[in-house]
Amino acid sequence: MSDTELREHIHKVSQWLGTHYFVTPSARALSPRLDMTIAFNETSLPGAKTITAISGANGVGKSTFAHSWAHAYHRRKVAGLKLRNGFPQLDVRGGMADAVPVVWLNLQAQAKIAELDVQILNYLGRGLSGTIRDMTLRAVRALEDHRVSVLVIDDVHLLKLSKSSGRDVLDHLKHLNTELGEVGGSMVLIGANLESTDLVYDPQITARLQLHNLQPLGATTAQGRSRWKDTVADMEADLLPLLPHAKAGQLTQNAGALHDLTGGYVGELATMLKQATVAALLSRTGLIDLDLLRQLPVSYRAERATT
């Protein structure tokens, strides 16, 4: 390729890498568990449903996994629906409404009930005027009108139950779970190290909670090293078509060095390998070797873990 052609090619590769999700062994194991819980909630008797929680260290890939799962779930739910202006539509009380199988909220620090309801109404394109109680009623009605099957709330570790406002929001989440449950909907909570927060000690939450934990993959045990190597191998398989001089297994041979460079965090591994792919194309070698990997920037966390 000429320099111009190479730049254009790298731009296209970078666009693909930016949106690509590496399906890791951990994600492959968690997805069917989440699918099963959601499917059971859809068909079980009305009322409060099982709550799925995804916990783990910061940057371990919780939200990235959940986004990928939610996109796939959304596509399955809207398949076959009629479209209006490119959006899947539903018949609702004699009118039409957008089908929104998944609502995703990022919980704000010091959030209050009204702010949570505003996020729901904003997500669904509804009006925001009225009292707090009015907005709660409209938020619940909107969830029903748009046939929301899954309400995902990220960063729930920001919920401070030591404050009255935090306790109020937790009670509101339980209310939303009950309202969703009346129409077969589910709630998914995501947060850092939830098992060490007050959230898991709430009796109503724990009675319905299924907690899944994603953690960095260790290198001190044979099982941990095997899982890490499998993760690297899966990512390598996705990248091979982009690397003209690479052969299967070459990158996996450097699994140990990659663990040292990333601290065992899957998210940081994915970022490093995407950057390495672009660097390999820029160098015209089309190959990711150990020398190239060691030239790439590493996160402060990974750097600190190896010093």
Side-chain angles (χ1 to χ4, degrees), residues 127-150:
L128 304 178
S129 61
T131 65
I132 293 177
R133 184 173 294 275
D134 287 340
M135 284 197 292
T136 294
L137 291 173
R138 288 213 311 279
V140 170
R141 174 60 65 88
L143 291 171
E144 181 180 354
D145 285 349
H146 294 279
R147 302 293 193 272
V148 175
S149 299
V150 182

Side-chain angles (χ1 to χ4, degrees), residues 1 4 27 29 54 63 68 76 104 167 170 194 198 203 219 249 271 281 283 285 295 307:
M1 291 182 178
T4 299
I54 304 173
S63 299
S68 178
R76 292 199 303 270
W104 184 290
R167 174 59 58 180
L170 179 62
L194 294 180
D198 292 336
T271 298
L281 295 176
S283 69
T285 63
Q295 294 173 23
T307 57

Side-chain angles (χ1 to χ4, degrees), residues 29 36 47 60 72 90 93 151-152 181 184 188 196-197 200 244 248-249 277:
M36 182 171 61
V60 80
L90 296 162
R93 291 191 294 275
L151 174 62
V152 182
V188 176
S196 61
T197 67
V200 299
T277 301

Side-chain angles (χ1 to χ4, degrees), residues 100 102-105 117-126 148:
V100 187
V102 180
V103 166
W104 184 290
L105 307 181
D117 288 337
V118 164
Q119 283 186 275
I120 293 173
L121 291 168
N122 262 329
Y123 194 98
L124 296 172
R126 297 297 188 101
V148 175

Side-chain angles (χ1 to χ4, degrees), residues 19-50:
T19 59
H20 180 65
Y21 175 68
F22 292 109
V23 181
T24 64
S26 296
R28 196 175 294 113
L30 181 53
S31 289
R33 297 178 189 174
L34 191 52
D35 287 338
M36 182 171 61
T37 300
I38 301 304
F40 182 79
N41 284 347
E42 288 177 345
T43 56
S44 61
L45 294 173
K49 304 291 186 178
T50 298

